[in-house]
Amino acid sequence: MPSISKFIERMDYYCRVASVGYDWGARWEVYDGGSTDCSALVITCLREAGFDTGAATYTGNMSGELTARGWQRLWPDLANAQPGDILLNDANHVAAVLWGYGWDATVGQASIGETGGVYGNQPGDQTGWETNETGMYSYPWDCILRWPEGGGGSYDYDDEEDEMSVWGYKNESINGPKDAYALLTETRNAATDANARAERAEAKMQQILDAVNANKPLKASDVWGYRYVKKDDDGTERNTAPGGNAYNCMVQTNKQVVAANTQLAAMNEAVKALAEAKGVDPKQIASIVEKAVKKKLDSLEISVEVGKREQA
């Protein structure tokens, strides 16, 4: 009985697990340590999955042979691609969708020989890319060949070995050596940790609300001793509040404001000295500088009130 799931499993095996080279001269030697090309690989995997491929031998007659046996020839809308779809350019190339949907899908294919051409010097994958899995990509595809639901056969995994191939799937270009089960476990643990931290924060907030509702004064340390701690990617906790806590942060900010005011006063005296040296009314230059500074501060959404200074 034909099985799309088995077709995907065989494509995944030859493209990711086995070492299969690319060579037009030995294209039907599809086994670990052998060789193939794009169409011979897809046709072999279809046959191993129980599909009747008729007289299909290359990209040019794949569509006619497969559609005569129940496959649908669809417009190549990659956004709607699904596992088991065959991406076909009638003249040049064919590949198969293995995992995921649309532009997030993973494609299996035989690409090019180790020589950079269609003939190889040695059997087996010499470059790691002669047969490969990659993300969905744009190509002048002529059609998508799709086995219709209800067309006979199965989309389901047939046995425990197929199920294990799902959990053992790896996309090393994205996730490194982690397989699907490890990534799922890691995601679950991260979600559990995040939920625990959220629950602690919620409990602390509830304590504060209970104190407010009971008209109990909050401890000053609850407010001024607050520390904002952030975790780096490696899990190291880092206190991001200047000075260590809210109170020290306020003190540092106050010192910075005082220093800024002192600097502004010094700049004001410098403008006055410059004006007197140039024989210009100091108020005229001061007014220009004041407007420019206020415009800049307004753009930073800071409110400034300029006080008048008594002339000696």
Side-chain angles (χ1 to χ4, degrees):
M1 182 174 66
S3 168
I4 285 292
S5 300
K6 191 67 175 179
F7 169 57
I8 292 172
E9 185 272 325
R10 298 313 294 160
M11 285 289 299
D12 176 52
Y13 172 73
Y14 290 127
C15 293
R16 181 178 62 87
V17 180
S19 175
V20 183
Y22 189 105
D23 186 354
W24 271 9
R27 59 195 295 262
W28 295 109
E29 298 178 9
V30 189
Y31 50 81
D32 189 10
S35 299
T36 190
D37 69 1
C38 62
S39 56
L41 174 63
V42 171
I43 292 168
T44 296
C45 290
L46 285 171
R47 291 172 179 171
E48 292 184 358
F51 287 94
D52 180 5
T53 60
T57 55
Y58 73 113
T59 56
N61 69 354
M62 281 184 66
S63 178
E65 293 295 326
L66 293 183
T67 54
R69 289 160 176 79
W71 289 75
Q72 298 173 333
R73 182 181 173 104
L74 307 176
W75 178 260
D77 181 6
L78 300 184
N80 290 317
Q82 65 184 39
D85 281 354
I86 296 173
L87 310 177
L88 179 65
N89 177 292
D90 293 303
N92 296 309
H93 191 46
V94 64
V97 178
L98 306 185
W99 324 102
Y101 293 83
W103 289 102
D104 294 326
T106 296
V107 174
Q109 62 187 354
S111 291
I112 199 71
E114 75 270 19
T115 62
V118 297
Y119 292 100
N121 290 330
Q122 300 181 59
D125 192 344
Q126 307 302 312
T127 66
W129 191 251
E130 294 185 60
T131 48
N132 61 81
E133 293 181 2
T134 186
M136 177 64 76
Y137 62 94
S138 181
Y139 188 82
W141 303 113
D142 293 317
C143 70
I144 289 176
L145 297 176
R146 178 174 296 167
W147 184 252
E149 294 185 20
S154 172
Y155 273 85
D156 300 326
Y157 286 92
D158 299 323
D159 50 38
E160 185 176 351
E161 180 181 355
D162 285 332
E163 182 178 346
M164 292 306 296
S165 73
V166 173
W167 290 115
Y169 172 71
K170 299 177 183 178
N171 190 332
E172 296 191 4
S173 64
I174 299 176
N175 299 314
K178 298 176 182 176
D179 61 23
Y181 185 81
L183 286 171
L184 180 65
T185 302
E186 184 178 283
T187 303
R188 181 197 62 191
N189 292 340
T192 300
D193 181 60
N195 286 334
R197 286 187 280 112
E199 289 174 359
R200 290 196 297 270
E202 183 178 0
K204 182 64 175 178
M205 180 60 70
Q206 190 60 51
Q207 289 179 1
I208 295 175
L209 291 175
D210 290 343
V212 171
N213 292 332
N215 294 321
K216 293 181 180 179
L218 292 174
K219 294 181 180 179
S221 59
D222 290 335
V223 178
W224 295 112
Y226 173 74
R227 297 169 66 248
Y228 179 72
V229 177
K230 181 180 179 181
K231 274 192 175 182
D232 292 333
D233 293 338
D234 61 359
T236 303
E237 290 190 350
R238 178 166 53 87
N239 185 6
T240 60
N245 57 36
Y247 181 80
N248 290 339
C249 179
M250 182 189 68
V251 171
Q252 286 194 10
T253 302
N254 183 62
K255 290 180 179 179
Q256 291 170 353
V257 170
V258 172
N261 286 335
T262 301
Q263 185 176 7
L264 285 173
M267 289 174 62
N268 186 50
E269 293 300 323
V271 168
K272 182 178 179 181
L274 174 63
E276 291 175 348
K278 296 292 184 179
V280 182
D281 183 2
K283 292 183 179 180
Q284 183 180 354
I285 293 183
S287 176
I288 294 173
V289 174
E290 176 185 322
K291 290 178 180 178
V293 171
K294 191 173 188 304
K295 182 178 179 181
K296 179 64 176 176
L297 292 176
D298 285 344
S299 70
L300 298 175
E301 299 183 355
I302 299 176
S303 178
V304 176
E305 181 178 351
V306 180
K308 293 184 179 180
R309 180 177 177 181
E310 296 293 335
Q311 296 259 339

